[in-house]
Amino acid sequence: MTGLSTLLKAGLKEVGKKTSTKVIPEASQKTQLGTTTIPTYKKVEKIFKEDNIKGNTLDFGAGRGLGAKEIKADTFEPFPRENFKPNYTSSSDIPTESYNKITSLNVLNVLPKTERRKAVLEIARVLKPKGSAIISTRGSDVLAAKGTKGNEPMSIILNDGRFQKGFTTKELIEEMQSILGNDFIVESVSGVGKAAVKITKRKIGGMVMRNDNYNTQRAI
C-alpha cells in the first residue's frame, strides 16, 4: 500500500523499541478530520478531565490538526496538508512513554489489519504508565459508500482504492485487547464516534511489554 515501508526481517518483539514507520498510509489524506470533529475532541478532553488524567496530549493521526489545536495537543501526522506542520511526521521520532493522553479519532478504520496493529502498538509504546488513549472508529456507515467488499467483516475498498473498516464497540475492544495483552485495560467509551475505547497502561516503570503474536515484524 502507498506510503507503507518495508518490514524488518526478524528480531524485534518489544513494543518499547522505536520504529520509523509512517504507520498511516498516504491514502488516508482523503479522510482526514476537519472542523466538524472539533466537538468530538472536546468530548474526549472532558473524558480525560473526568478521569483525572493530567499531563501532555498527543493526537495520533491528526489530519489537518484542527482538533488537536482545540485541545492543545501535540500532533503526529505523516502526510500533513499545506499550512500544517505537525510535531511529528514519523512515529519513530516520538519518544517512548512520553505522553499521558493520546487521541486517535477515526484513524484505525482507514488501516488494513496489519497496519492497524502497528499503529496500536505505536500508541501503546508512546503512552506513559497510567496514561490513557481514546481511540474511535467508524461503524457500519462505511458500507454506504461505493466500492467493493473488503476481506474483513464490515470493510470496503472504495472506488478510489481507499480502505475503510467499520467496527462495533465489542469488536474494537476485542481487537485492542488481543493486540495489547494484560498490560492494558480496554474499556468502551460512549459519545465518541460509532465505536470508541479507552486504553489505559497498567505498568509502572520502563516498557518491557512483549507480544509473541506479533511474529517478529516491525515496520521501518
Side-chain angles (χ1 to χ4, degrees):
M1 180 175 288
T2 303
L4 292 175
S5 46
T6 57
L7 297 174
L8 284 178
K9 292 182 179 179
L12 295 181
K13 289 185 179 181
E14 296 182 19
V15 177
K17 292 184 182 293
K18 298 191 295 183
T19 74
S20 56
T21 180
K22 289 288 189 181
V23 179
I24 302 171
E26 190 170 3
S28 69
Q29 284 179 314
K30 297 182 179 179
T31 56
Q32 288 177 335
L33 302 170
T35 55
T36 57
T37 63
I38 287 178
T40 305
Y41 277 87
K42 290 182 176 180
K43 288 179 183 178
V44 170
E45 187 177 40
K46 183 178 179 182
I47 293 169
F48 284 138
K49 186 175 181 180
E50 290 173 348
D51 290 346
N52 199 32
I53 306 296
K54 299 177 182 179
N56 55 349
T57 306
L58 174 71
D59 191 20
F60 191 96
R64 301 173 186 176
L66 301 177
K69 183 178 180 180
E70 185 69 26
I71 64 172
K72 297 179 175 60
D74 288 348
T75 50
F76 163 60
E77 175 52 53
F79 302 104
R81 294 190 176 188
E82 189 177 359
N83 299 322
F84 172 46
K85 293 183 178 180
N87 297 90
Y88 308 101
T89 57
S90 175
S91 67
S92 67
D93 293 332
I94 310 172
T96 296
E97 294 188 344
S98 55
Y99 284 93
N100 301 94
K101 299 174 285 183
I102 297 176
T103 58
S104 187
L105 307 183
N106 285 10
V107 174
L108 297 189
N109 48 268
V110 305
L111 303 177
K113 192 167 187 176
T114 299
E115 281 68 50
R116 280 202 309 274
R117 187 180 188 86
K118 296 172 194 172
V120 171
L121 289 172
E122 283 297 89
I123 290 170
R125 179 182 67 79
V126 303
L127 189 63
K128 286 184 179 182
K130 296 189 176 182
S132 291
I134 292 181
I135 298 171
S136 72
T137 69
R138 295 179 64 181
S140 60
D141 57 301
V142 301
L143 301 178
K146 293 181 179 180
T148 58
K149 185 178 179 180
N151 61 2
E152 294 189 72
M154 215 187 311
S155 69
I156 187 171
I157 307 299
L158 304 181
N159 287 341
D160 62 5
R162 286 179 292 140
F163 174 86
Q164 283 279 359
K165 172 171 167 48
F167 284 83
T168 65
T169 298
K170 181 176 182 291
E171 182 186 14
L172 186 60
I173 289 174
E174 289 175 351
E175 182 164 312
M176 296 300 99
Q177 198 71 74
S178 71
I179 293 171
L180 297 171
N182 294 330
D183 285 330
F184 287 80
I185 301 168
V186 183
E187 305 168 280
S188 64
V189 173
S190 60
V192 181
K194 299 294 183 180
V197 296
K198 180 181 73 172
I199 66 172
T200 303
K201 182 178 285 189
R202 296 175 185 271
K203 217 163 185 50
I204 300 175
M207 276 289 272
V208 292
M209 275 188 6
R210 289 180 179 269
N211 189 329
D212 292 334
N213 294 324
Y214 192 28
N215 298 322
T216 55
Q217 297 178 330
R218 295 294 302 276
I220 59 172

